[in-house]
Amino acid sequence: QGMKNTQDTLLGFVLNLFVSLPEPRRRHCRVYPLEMLLFCAMATFITGRKSFYDMNAFAEVYKNLLIELFGVSSTPSHDTFARIFRILDKKLFALCLQKFSEKIGDIMARHVVAIDGKTCRRARDAARKAAHIISAWSPGEKLTPGVCMVGEKSNEIPAVLELLDLLGATLKGTVVTADAFNTQKATAAAIIAKGADYVLAVKDNQPELSKAVSLFLDHFADTAAPMWSSTEKGHGRLEVRSCWQSEDVKWIPTFKEWKGLKSICVVQRTSTRLTTGETTTSRRYFISSLPLGPQEIARCVREHWDVENSCHWSLDVIFNEDCCLARAGNEAANLRTLRSIVMNYLTDAGKRLGSTDTRMRMMTKAGMSTKYLYSVLGYNPTEV
C-alpha cells in the first residue's frame, strides 16, 4: 500500500525502475524485496553515509518507513546489501540511471554530453586491476545520463561504444565531447549514427591526423586574427581564450575515414599571472562534425571539462569514491551507478525545493533531519 501511494511521485518512478530489474537471487534467498534494498542504499547515500554497514544502520533507524513502503519489519544485514550489489546486473542497473536522467532532465538542443573515464583507485586487489568506469556527463543539466564499466581485459574504446549504445536516442541533437584517447573512427561513426555531433580532441594517439591538423592550424593561427576570443580574470590570472576554425578538411589524408567530419579547430589559451607577469600559452586541436561556428566550438571545449570539475570531483570529495574498497563481482560498477543516481536525485531536489545548497550540504541536512530527507526524496508520510 505504501508503494502505491508513491506512484505519482519521483520516488515512485525510481522504485518502479528498481521493481523492473530482474531478480538476481535464488527464490529461497529473497527475504527482502530488491526494490527495498536499493531504496535503502540510495537513501543511505543521500544522508551522506557510504558503506554497506551504513545501509544496515539506515534500515534499523528507518524501520517504520520500510514497513510503510514495503511492509517489511526486519532489518537486512550488511552482507545482504553487499551480496545484492555483487550479483545485480550492472548493465540493467545502468539502464535505470539512463531512464531516470531522461525523466528529470533534458540534455537535448545542442547541450554538451562529455564522455570521460575515472578509476576507482582502491577497488582492486592482487588479482584484479582497479575498476575503471566511463561516465557521460551533461554540464548544462548537471546530470549523469549513463555509466559503463571498462572490462578487465579491455580498454576505454569498446566501453565508450557500449555507453553510446546505452544512451541511444537520448543523444540526438547533442554535441558529444571526448578526450584524445577516445578520438577513434568507430566512436565518431557511432556518435553520428545516434543523430549527435562531436568535438573530439586530437593528440599523438592519432599521429597522422595530429600532424596534419596541427601543422595546418598552427599556420592558420599564426597568420590570421582569432575568429573568436574571450578574456577572463580570476584566481590571480588573466586568461585569454582564442579559437580558429576551418571547414577546409577534404585534404586531410584520412578525411573519408572520419564519419561526419566537417571542420577542424584550434583553441589557444594564454594565461598571465597578475603577480609576476609570467605568461604561458598552450594550444589544443580538435576535429568536429559541426559547421563553421568558432564560438560554439569554444563553448563545447570549455564545457567538456565540467566532467572533471563537477562530476568526478563530486564522486571523490562527496562520496569518497577513491576510498571505496568494494570490488567483488559487480560491486564497483553498481555502486558507481548508485552514486550517479543519487547525484541526479540531489540535483533535481535542489531545483524542486528551490534550494541553493550544495550537494554536500543537502546530504548533511538529510542526515540530520528526517523531515528534510523526506523532502529530498519527495516522500510525504501523511499520504500513507
Side-chain angles (χ1 to χ4, degrees):
Q1 180 63 34
M3 275 194 64
K4 290 181 181 178
N5 288 328
T6 67
Q7 289 302 306
D8 296 330
T9 67
L10 185 62
L11 177 59
F13 180 83
V14 173
L15 291 178
N16 282 331
L17 288 178
F18 294 162
V19 170
S20 70
L21 288 168
E23 178 58 68
R25 297 167 293 179
R26 296 190 182 97
R27 189 173 299 277
H28 69 275
C29 296
R30 303 174 191 176
V31 178
Y32 304 100
L34 177 61
E35 62 273 18
M36 171 189 149
L37 297 175
L38 295 178
F39 166 78
C40 287
M42 181 184 76
T44 299
F45 274 32
I46 288 176
T47 62
R49 302 295 185 264
K50 304 167 182 73
S51 72
F52 297 132
Y53 289 94
D54 294 332
M55 296 174 193
N56 165 255
F58 177 89
E60 287 184 356
V61 172
Y62 286 91
K63 184 179 293 186
N64 290 337
L65 174 63
L66 301 183
I67 294 173
E68 292 174 352
L69 285 177
F70 307 102
V72 177
S73 58
S74 59
T75 303
S77 69
H78 70 276
D79 283 333
T80 299
F81 287 106
R83 191 179 307 114
I84 202 67
F85 278 94
R86 185 163 60 246
I87 64 176
L88 185 64
D89 189 304
K90 60 186 179 183
K91 293 182 180 180
L92 294 179
F93 194 36
L95 187 59
C96 288
L97 168 65
Q98 189 260 332
K99 291 179 179 179
F100 178 50
S101 66
E102 281 188 12
K103 173 71 174 179
I104 64 175
D106 178 14
I107 63 170
M108 309 294 278
R110 289 223 181 276
H111 282 188
V112 169
V113 176
I115 306 290
D116 197 28
K118 181 183 177 300
T119 299
C120 305
R121 302 196 178 278
R122 297 193 69 184
R124 63 181 177 181
D125 54 30
R128 186 194 317 239
K129 293 181 179 179
H132 191 74
I133 299 175
I134 309 297
S135 296
W137 175 253
S138 172
E141 294 288 325
K142 299 296 181 185
L143 297 175
T144 303
V147 295
C148 181
M149 188 172 181
V150 177
E152 286 188 54
K153 297 182 180 179
S154 182
N155 56 39
E156 280 195 22
I157 299 168
V160 168
L161 296 177
E162 186 177 330
L163 177 58
L164 293 174
D165 284 338
L166 172 69
L167 296 174
T170 306
L171 292 174
K172 187 175 181 180
T174 66
V175 180
V176 178
T177 62
D179 58 15
F181 187 82
N182 291 305
T183 300
Q184 306 290 334
K185 294 161 188 159
T187 303
I191 293 170
I192 294 298
K194 297 293 184 294
D197 286 300
Y198 60 78
V199 177
L200 304 175
V202 175
K203 288 186 180 178
D204 290 341
N205 64 314
Q206 295 284 347
E208 187 177 7
L209 178 66
S210 176
K211 183 178 179 180
V213 168
S214 61
L215 284 173
F216 179 91
L217 290 173
D218 280 344
H219 176 72
F220 186 16
D222 291 339
T223 57
M227 301 175 71
W228 176 86
S229 66
S230 69
T231 302
E232 294 182 7
K233 187 176 181 180
H235 303 286
R237 297 188 301 268
L238 180 68
E239 291 190 351
V240 179
R241 290 181 176 83
S242 305
C243 182
W244 294 261
Q245 184 184 14
S246 173
E247 291 183 300
D248 183 8
V249 295
K250 292 185 178 180
W251 58 269
I252 296 174
T254 55
F255 165 71
K256 292 183 179 180
E257 299 175 25
W258 293 93
K259 189 76 172 178
L261 178 59
K262 290 182 182 177
S263 65
I264 55 177
C265 58
V266 56
V267 176
Q268 177 175 288
R269 175 178 172 268
T270 302
S271 178
T272 303
R273 288 191 173 276
L274 299 178
T275 53
T276 64
E278 179 185 359
T279 298
T280 58
T281 299
S282 61
R283 286 177 176 174
R284 289 179 289 158
Y285 308 93
F286 302 87
I287 60 172
S288 177
S289 62
L290 293 173
L292 197 64
Q295 185 173 355
E296 173 75 356
I297 290 283
R299 179 186 70 85
C300 294
V301 169
R302 186 75 184 275
E303 287 191 8
H304 173 78
W305 296 108
D306 193 63
V307 69
E308 295 284 354
N309 300 332
S310 294
C311 179
H312 293 171
W313 184 91
S314 294
L315 291 167
D316 282 340
V317 176
I318 299 177
F319 295 100
N320 290 339
E321 183 174 74
D322 276 348
C323 295
C324 182
L325 297 172
R327 55 181 174 264
N330 294 334
E331 284 179 354
N334 285 329
L335 286 174
R336 173 59 177 275
T337 298
L338 181 65
R339 293 183 192 105
S340 297
I341 290 174
V342 171
M343 284 174 61
N344 290 357
Y345 215 114
L346 291 169
T347 297
D348 177 78
K351 296 176 182 177
R352 177 163 34 89
L353 301 175
S355 173
T356 58
D357 289 338
T358 63
R359 292 192 193 100
M360 185 177 288
R361 184 170 174 80
M362 291 176 70
M363 290 165 68
T364 300
K365 291 166 71 173
M368 294 177 172
S369 167
T370 296
K371 182 179 179 181
Y372 189 81
L373 171 62
Y374 287 174
S375 67
V376 170
L377 289 171
Y379 173 68
N380 185 355
T382 60
E383 295 178 350
V384 180

